[in-house]
Amino acid sequence: MTTPTPMDPVAQPVRLLIVDDDPLVRVGLTLMLGGADDIVVVGEGADGSEVAALVDRLGPDVVLMDIRMPTMDGLTATEALRARPDAPEVVVLTTFHADEQVLRAIRAGAAGFVLKDTPPAQIVDAVRRVAAGDPVLSPTVTRRLMAHAAGAGAGPGSARGERADRTDRARRRIATLADREREVAIAVGRGRSNAEIAAELYLSVATVKTQVSRILARFGFNNRVQIALLVHDAGLLDDDHGGGGGVADGDGNGDGADRPYRPFA
C-alpha cells in the first residue's frame, strides 16, 4: 500500500476560506470551488474584519479575498493576516486595472490574484497552485506591475535621482546572491514558472523551488513579484530587449505586440 504524500489531494484536500461582501459571489464561488474533489470550502466571510477569527477557528490553507469590503478592505486584512506566523496563503479577487491595489496586496504577501470574471476552471487551478506553493502571476501581470511600481512615487523633480538610488540599492542586494541564485532571480523577473526555469537552467523543479526560497529568505520577501521588482530595479532585464532599459511588451517575447491578458498563461 502506498503512503499518501503531503500533497495527495484525496488524503489532504486544500482547505479554502472565501471572503467577499457580496453573498451571491460567495455562493457562486462556494458552489464552484466546493465541487472540486481536492478542495474543501471550510467557511465564508463577508468582511475583512472577520478574517482573523475565521482563520483561527477554521484553519484554512488558502484565503480567497475580495479587495473592496465595507468595514475592513481585503488589502488591510491581507497585510494583517500575512504578518502572523504560519499564515495561510492569500489570493486576492480584483480587477486587472487596479494596479496599485494589486501591488499593495502582493507586497503584503498575497500569493497572487484572480479576476472575478476568470473562467471557473482557472480559479480552481489558481487555488490548487497557490496551495502547492506556486504563486499565480502570469508574465504579463508581473511586467505590468513592475512597470507600475517603477513609475510610482517619483515626482518630476526627483524621478531621476530616486530611480538611480533604487537601481543602486537593488544592484547591491543582487550582488550578495550566488551565481545560480542570480540566474534564478532573473528568470523569476522574466515571469518564468518554476518548471520553465528548471528547463532553461537544467535544474530540477525541486532545486528551483529551493533557490527561490533562499532568495526570499535572504531579502525577507514574501513572494516572487518582490524578486521580480528587485531584478527590474537592478536593470537586469534590459538585455531582453537590446538594452533598451524598458519593461517588456505584455507577452514578454520582445516582438512589440502585447497579447491579450491570460491570467494563468
Side-chain angles (χ1 to χ4, degrees):
M1 180 176 178
T2 302
T3 302
T5 63
M7 286 309 297
D8 187 323
V10 176
Q12 193 171 1
V14 177
R15 296 173 60 82
L16 177 68
L17 172 65
I18 297 171
V19 184
D20 194 296
D21 64 328
D22 188 332
L24 293 179
V25 171
R26 292 200 306 274
V27 169
L29 289 171
T30 298
L31 290 173
M32 175 179 61
L33 292 158
D37 293 338
D38 54 348
I39 297 174
V40 175
V41 178
V42 295
E44 301 175 13
D47 192 82
S49 60
E50 303 173 9
V51 170
L54 288 170
V55 167
D56 288 340
R57 180 163 58 87
L58 301 172
D61 301 307
V62 178
V63 178
L64 191 58
M65 183 97 70
D66 186 24
I67 286 184
R68 295 179 179 176
M69 292 182 282
T71 304
M72 178 185 289
D73 64 78
L75 299 177
T76 302
T78 296
E79 289 167 345
L81 182 60
R82 292 297 299 168
R84 300 169 49 169
D86 301 320
E89 299 293 348
V90 176
V91 178
V92 295
L93 287 165
T94 185
T95 54
F96 183 56
H97 59 76
D99 293 337
E100 190 70 46
Q101 294 178 330
V102 173
L103 192 59
R104 179 181 163 193
I106 296 301
R107 283 176 168 159
F113 74 93
V114 294
L115 306 181
K116 288 194 174 182
D117 60 356
T118 296
Q122 293 182 351
I123 296 181
V124 172
D125 182 59
V127 171
R128 289 174 177 150
R129 287 174 56 183
V130 166
D134 188 11
V136 180
L137 289 162
S138 74
T140 302
V141 175
T142 299
R143 292 181 185 278
R144 177 161 176 170
L145 290 178
M146 285 192 295
H148 181 77
S158 61
R160 184 173 301 176
E162 289 186 14
R163 196 163 297 153
D165 288 345
R166 185 169 59 240
T167 299
D168 184 58
R169 289 194 303 269
R171 287 178 175 172
R172 287 201 304 268
R173 301 183 86 178
I174 290 290
T176 66
L177 297 176
D179 289 344
R180 182 61 83 186
E181 291 172 337
R182 183 177 183 274
E183 290 174 341
V184 170
I186 291 172
V188 170
R190 290 172 178 154
R192 305 292 194 261
S193 67
N194 286 341
E196 290 168 337
I197 296 172
E200 287 180 6
L201 300 181
Y202 303 100
L203 300 171
S204 69
V205 174
T207 298
V208 173
K209 288 182 178 180
T210 298
Q211 295 284 0
V212 171
S213 295
R214 287 176 180 171
I215 297 168
L216 293 172
R218 181 185 295 272
F219 298 131
F221 290 163
N222 291 309
N223 55 70
R224 296 164 73 98
V225 172
Q226 291 169 313
I227 298 176
L229 289 170
L230 181 68
V231 171
H232 176 270
D233 287 345
L236 297 180
L237 302 184
D238 294 353
D239 291 342
D240 289 350
H241 305 282
V247 175
D249 53 87
D251 60 343
N253 66 8
D255 65 2
D258 193 4
R259 302 290 185 268
Y261 167 60
R262 294 179 296 161
F264 311 111

